Amino acid sequence: MEHFNAQLGIYEQSYEDPTLNDLAIEERLLSLLNKALTTSGNHDQFFRENHVPSLINDHQVWVVTQYHFDIHDLSKLSRTIKITTRLCQINKFFVTRYFTIYVEGQLVMELYAQFAAIDFYERKVVRLNTASMAEYGLVDKDHQIKFQKLNVSEEFQLKEVCDFAVTSEDIDANAHVNNGVYLTWCFSMIRDHTLINKNLREVDVKFGKEILVDHAVSVRHYAVDDKEFIFQIMNDSKQEEASILRMKWL
């Protein structure tokens, strides 16, 4: 069994954010997500500083392909946040990170994020340089996940369809719509729903095709039951599904 090098493999970062409690639930989720992704990038930098060979080469960038949020309690957040991250799964094309998010010592959320690398110019997925991860013992196999398959069933009730305009502010450094914008679109469709301020428990996201600044977008909101919703994000310019998202409440 491969030994996990916790000294290099687990990275921890603390944040001070006095505004968290002033935010709506969905804004708290997005704020914590952004901090988790920052922590991930800093862990990659920590690897480089410790001479761990990079998983990717020049002109290659990381993109998120899937999320699973396991939400414990976002109702009361104080200003001090601690986030830990580690690699938990890796193969030739994908790497998955596991995050824990603590507020004042209380675990408020766990997050799994799967990443792929693409060539920035060719926009194609590339193979990862995985040998160093095993050599340095940097994959914690005690925190693995099987991401839920997301789809739209004929049994789901279509509640609403909304069109969204992609603006330049929605585009990130990878030249496509930032993954947090997908969440913002979906949350905006249920802002007046009675569930929005209740106990949101799980969020799953599968990113399929990228959306660019000149693309037309629509989001289809389906009800699985009274406590579970599916959102299908369509790239109408290409007539294809770009992403699918699931939310579940207690």
Side-chain angles (χ1 to χ4, degrees), residues 1 24 68 71 101 114 120 142 159 208 221-223:
M1 184 176 180
H68 171 72
I71 300 164
I101 301 176
Q114 183 188 77
F120 183 82
D142 289 337
K159 304 286 287 185
H221 168 208
Y222 296 87

PDB file of all heavy atoms in Angstrom, residues 1 24 68 71 101 114 120 142 159 208 221-223:
ATOM      1  N   MET A   1       0.844  -1.201   0.000  1.00  0.00           N
ATOM      2  CA  MET A   1       0.000   0.000   0.000  1.00  0.00           C
ATOM      3  C   MET A   1       0.880   1.253   0.000  1.00  0.00           C
ATOM      4  O   MET A   1       1.850   1.334   0.764  1.00  0.00           O
ATOM      5  CB  MET A   1      -0.923   0.005   1.219  1.00  0.00           C
ATOM      6  CG  MET A   1      -1.904   1.164   1.262  1.00  0.00           C
ATOM      7  SD  MET A   1      -3.039   1.029   2.663  1.00  0.00           S
ATOM      8  CE  MET A   1      -4.008   2.506   2.412  1.00  0.00           C
ATOM      9  N   ALA A  24     -26.217  36.114   1.569  1.00  0.00           N
ATOM     10  CA  ALA A  24     -27.245  35.088   1.412  1.00  0.00           C
ATOM     11  C   ALA A  24     -26.570  33.723   1.360  1.00  0.00           C
ATOM     12  O   ALA A  24     -25.359  33.615   1.136  1.00  0.00           O
ATOM     13  CB  ALA A  24     -28.040  35.336   0.131  1.00  0.00           C
ATOM     14  N   HIS A  68     -18.737  18.007  -5.876  1.00  0.00           N
ATOM     15  CA  HIS A  68     -19.731  17.501  -4.923  1.00  0.00           C
ATOM     16  C   HIS A  68     -19.558  18.271  -3.623  1.00  0.00           C
ATOM     17  O   HIS A  68     -18.489  18.227  -3.004  1.00  0.00           O
ATOM     18  CB  HIS A  68     -19.581  16.008  -4.653  1.00  0.00           C
ATOM     19  CG  HIS A  68     -20.448  15.528  -3.516  1.00  0.00           C
ATOM     20  ND1 HIS A  68     -21.829  15.423  -3.633  1.00  0.00           N
ATOM     21  CD2 HIS A  68     -20.159  15.183  -2.224  1.00  0.00           C
ATOM     22  CE1 HIS A  68     -22.330  15.010  -2.489  1.00  0.00           C
ATOM     23  NE2 HIS A  68     -21.347  14.864  -1.617  1.00  0.00           N
ATOM     24  N   ILE A  71     -22.803  19.718   2.542  1.00  0.00           N
ATOM     25  CA  ILE A  71     -22.964  20.913   3.369  1.00  0.00           C
ATOM     26  C   ILE A  71     -23.517  20.521   4.736  1.00  0.00           C
ATOM     27  O   ILE A  71     -24.577  19.902   4.838  1.00  0.00           O
ATOM     28  CB  ILE A  71     -23.912  21.912   2.674  1.00  0.00           C
ATOM     29  CG1 ILE A  71     -23.324  22.309   1.316  1.00  0.00           C
ATOM     30  CG2 ILE A  71     -24.129  23.138   3.548  1.00  0.00           C
ATOM     31  CD1 ILE A  71     -24.321  22.958   0.386  1.00  0.00           C
ATOM     32  N   ILE A 101     -13.775  22.459   5.210  1.00  0.00           N
ATOM     33  CA  ILE A 101     -13.906  23.884   5.530  1.00  0.00           C
ATOM     34  C   ILE A 101     -14.458  24.023   6.941  1.00  0.00           C
ATOM     35  O   ILE A 101     -15.563  23.548   7.245  1.00  0.00           O
ATOM     36  CB  ILE A 101     -14.815  24.586   4.505  1.00  0.00           C
ATOM     37  CG1 ILE A 101     -14.232  24.417   3.092  1.00  0.00           C
ATOM     38  CG2 ILE A 101     -14.981  26.068   4.861  1.00  0.00           C
ATOM     39  CD1 ILE A 101     -15.091  24.977   1.994  1.00  0.00           C
ATOM     40  N   GLN A 114     -13.186  17.701  -9.010  1.00  0.00           N
ATOM     41  CA  GLN A 114     -12.407  16.976 -10.005  1.00  0.00           C
ATOM     42  C   GLN A 114     -11.923  17.962 -11.066  1.00  0.00           C
ATOM     43  O   GLN A 114     -12.692  18.788 -11.559  1.00  0.00           O
ATOM     44  CB  GLN A 114     -13.248  15.883 -10.666  1.00  0.00           C
ATOM     45  CG  GLN A 114     -12.468  15.036 -11.672  1.00  0.00           C
ATOM     46  CD  GLN A 114     -13.376  14.088 -12.446  1.00  0.00           C
ATOM     47  OE1 GLN A 114     -14.084  14.517 -13.361  1.00  0.00           O
ATOM     48  NE2 GLN A 114     -13.369  12.818 -12.075  1.00  0.00           N
ATOM     49  N   PHE A 120      -4.296  25.412 -23.319  1.00  0.00           N
ATOM     50  CA  PHE A 120      -4.996  26.693 -23.334  1.00  0.00           C
ATOM     51  C   PHE A 120      -5.350  27.132 -24.745  1.00  0.00           C
ATOM     52  O   PHE A 120      -6.400  27.748 -24.973  1.00  0.00           O
ATOM     53  CB  PHE A 120      -4.134  27.759 -22.658  1.00  0.00           C
ATOM     54  CG  PHE A 120      -4.797  29.102 -22.555  1.00  0.00           C
ATOM     55  CD1 PHE A 120      -5.689  29.379 -21.533  1.00  0.00           C
ATOM     56  CD2 PHE A 120      -4.537  30.105 -23.479  1.00  0.00           C
ATOM     57  CE1 PHE A 120      -6.304  30.612 -21.430  1.00  0.00           C
ATOM     58  CE2 PHE A 120      -5.142  31.344 -23.390  1.00  0.00           C
ATOM     59  CZ  PHE A 120      -6.028  31.593 -22.358  1.00  0.00           C
ATOM     60  N   ASP A 142      -7.730   7.470   1.307  1.00  0.00           N
ATOM     61  CA  ASP A 142      -8.769   7.293   2.334  1.00  0.00           C
ATOM     62  C   ASP A 142      -9.962   8.210   2.101  1.00  0.00           C
ATOM     63  O   ASP A 142     -10.963   8.110   2.812  1.00  0.00           O
ATOM     64  CB  ASP A 142      -8.191   7.548   3.730  1.00  0.00           C
ATOM     65  CG  ASP A 142      -7.249   6.447   4.176  1.00  0.00           C
ATOM     66  OD1 ASP A 142      -7.362   5.321   3.643  1.00  0.00           O
ATOM     67  OD2 ASP A 142      -6.397   6.712   5.050  1.00  0.00           O
ATOM     68  N   LYS A 159     -40.062  23.060 -14.323  1.00  0.00           N
ATOM     69  CA  LYS A 159     -40.663  24.176 -13.597  1.00  0.00           C
ATOM     70  C   LYS A 159     -40.515  25.505 -14.331  1.00  0.00           C
ATOM     71  O   LYS A 159     -41.422  26.337 -14.319  1.00  0.00           O
ATOM     72  CB  LYS A 159     -40.000  24.304 -12.207  1.00  0.00           C
ATOM     73  CG  LYS A 159     -40.053  23.049 -11.367  1.00  0.00           C
ATOM     74  CD  LYS A 159     -41.419  22.793 -10.803  1.00  0.00           C
ATOM     75  CE  LYS A 159     -41.750  23.753  -9.693  1.00  0.00           C
ATOM     76  NZ  LYS A 159     -43.047  23.432  -9.043  1.00  0.00           N
ATOM     77  N   GLY A 208     -19.688  19.849 -18.678  1.00  0.00           N
ATOM     78  CA  GLY A 208     -19.439  19.092 -19.895  1.00  0.00           C
ATOM     79  C   GLY A 208     -18.714  19.891 -20.955  1.00  0.00           C
ATOM     80  O   GLY A 208     -17.545  19.665 -21.234  1.00  0.00           O
ATOM     81  N   HIS A 221     -35.022  24.363 -15.274  1.00  0.00           N
ATOM     82  CA  HIS A 221     -35.149  23.981 -13.862  1.00  0.00           C
ATOM     83  C   HIS A 221     -36.193  22.883 -13.740  1.00  0.00           C
ATOM     84  O   HIS A 221     -37.361  23.074 -14.102  1.00  0.00           O
ATOM     85  CB  HIS A 221     -35.538  25.216 -13.045  1.00  0.00           C
ATOM     86  CG  HIS A 221     -35.984  24.931 -11.654  1.00  0.00           C
ATOM     87  ND1 HIS A 221     -36.861  25.740 -10.972  1.00  0.00           N
ATOM     88  CD2 HIS A 221     -35.689  23.915 -10.805  1.00  0.00           C
ATOM     89  CE1 HIS A 221     -37.094  25.248  -9.782  1.00  0.00           C
ATOM     90  NE2 HIS A 221     -36.390  24.140  -9.660  1.00  0.00           N
ATOM     91  N   TYR A 222     -35.771  21.723 -13.205  1.00  0.00           N
ATOM     92  CA  TYR A 222     -36.665  20.577 -13.012  1.00  0.00           C
ATOM     93  C   TYR A 222     -36.783  20.266 -11.522  1.00  0.00           C
ATOM     94  O   TYR A 222     -35.816  20.423 -10.761  1.00  0.00           O
ATOM     95  CB  TYR A 222     -36.115  19.326 -13.700  1.00  0.00           C
ATOM     96  CG  TYR A 222     -36.021  19.406 -15.202  1.00  0.00           C
ATOM     97  CD1 TYR A 222     -34.888  19.934 -15.822  1.00  0.00           C
ATOM     98  CD2 TYR A 222     -37.048  18.923 -16.004  1.00  0.00           C
ATOM     99  CE1 TYR A 222     -34.787  19.997 -17.208  1.00  0.00           C
ATOM    100  CE2 TYR A 222     -36.954  18.975 -17.391  1.00  0.00           C
ATOM    101  CZ  TYR A 222     -35.827  19.509 -17.979  1.00  0.00           C
ATOM    102  OH  TYR A 222     -35.730  19.553 -19.350  1.00  0.00           O
ATOM    103  N   ALA A 223     -37.963  19.796 -11.111  1.00  0.00           N
ATOM    104  CA  ALA A 223     -38.164  19.300  -9.755  1.00  0.00           C
ATOM    105  C   ALA A 223     -38.173  17.778  -9.781  1.00  0.00           C
ATOM    106  O   ALA A 223     -38.979  17.172 -10.492  1.00  0.00           O
ATOM    107  CB  ALA A 223     -39.477  19.822  -9.181  1.00  0.00           C
TER     108      ALA A 223
END
